[in-house]
């Protein structure tokens, strides 16, 4: 083979790899957007059950976030579908097994968080959620990851529960 032919083969292989990455990114966005479309209305329904304390009551932030979550999810779904239709090799490829397992594991972590939140409390549940999500997304292992997960959960708890006054589940330890 000539050098020019080798370059064409290499360019073709690189193009195939790029198409595969583009498809995986579009599929991931589609799945995540679908989860957001489902989570937005759930958040709105839950927020409507909070006591009404006027214009700036405890339901204002969750209502706004639920609407934004649903709209952003809907936009992600539409954009992902458009990208999947426009990629020529998109119809020929499927999501790799490892990526599908990661998405499934992330969904499982979210479900476990929702189920365990009333039992273990917000800080412990959120710290586990943050650390598990970071690990699934490829964060390096180490004490910093666990310290950041715990700190982020504690900071969110103090901010929402103590400063803003939104009651979060405390669990058996009081936090």
């Amino acid at each position: 083979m000539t050098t020019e032919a080798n370059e064409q083969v290499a360019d073709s292989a690189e193009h195939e790899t790029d198409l595969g990455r583009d498809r995986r990114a579009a599929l991931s966005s589609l799945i995540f957007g679908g989860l957001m479309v489902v989570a937005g209305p759930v958040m709105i329904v839950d927020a409507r059950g909070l006591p009404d304390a006027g214009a700036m009551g405890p339901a204002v932030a969750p209502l706004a976030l639920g609407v934004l979550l649903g709209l952003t999810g809907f936009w992600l779904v539409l954009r992902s579908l458009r990208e999947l239709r426009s990629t020529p090799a998109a119809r020929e490829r499927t999501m790799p097994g490892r990526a599908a397992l990661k998405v499934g594991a992330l969904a499982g972590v979210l479900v476990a968080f929702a189920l365990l939140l009333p039992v273990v409390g917000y800080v412990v549940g959120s710290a586990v959620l943050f650390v598990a999500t970071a690990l699934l997304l490829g964060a390096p292992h180490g004490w910093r990851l666990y310290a950041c997960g715990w700190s982020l959960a504690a900071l969110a708890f103090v901010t929402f529960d103590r400063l803003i006054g939104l009651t979060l589940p405390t669990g058996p330890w009081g936090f």
Side-chain angles (χ1 to χ4, degrees), residues 1-23:
M1 282 181 116
T2 66
T3 305
E4 188 175 308
N6 285 336
E7 288 176 9
Q8 287 178 348
V9 170
D11 287 345
S12 176
E14 187 176 312
H15 181 68
E16 280 293 314
T17 303
D18 289 344
L19 289 176
R21 272 191 229 121
D22 291 345
R23 176 164 170 74

Side-chain angles (χ1 to χ4, degrees), residues 9 14 21-22 44 49 61 68-69 76 88-89 92 103 112 119 124 137-139 144 146-147 155 174:
V9 170
E14 187 176 312
R21 272 191 229 121
D22 291 345
I44 292 169
L68 288 173
L69 191 66
L76 269 175
E92 301 166 12
V103 170
V119 178
V124 173
L137 294 175
R144 288 183 189 169
Y146 301 102
L155 180 65

Side-chain angles (χ1 to χ4, degrees), residues 28-42 69-70 73 77 103 106-108 110-111:
S28 297
S29 294
L30 178 67
I31 293 168
F32 190 66
L35 290 172
M36 290 170 67
V37 166
V38 171
V42 169
L69 191 66
V77 167
V103 170
L106 284 169
L110 286 172
V111 169

Side-chain angles (χ1 to χ4, degrees), residues 72-94:
T72 303
F74 185 68
W75 175 78
L76 269 175
V77 167
L78 291 178
R79 191 187 85 185
S80 300
L81 289 173
R82 186 181 68 227
E83 285 178 13
L84 286 171
R85 281 191 220 116
S86 68
T87 306
R91 292 175 211 94
E92 301 166 12
R93 296 181 182 252
T94 59

Side-chain angles (χ1 to χ4, degrees), residues 114-126:
L115 294 174
L116 293 174
L117 188 63
V119 178
V120 298
Y122 180 81
V123 174
V124 173
S126 294

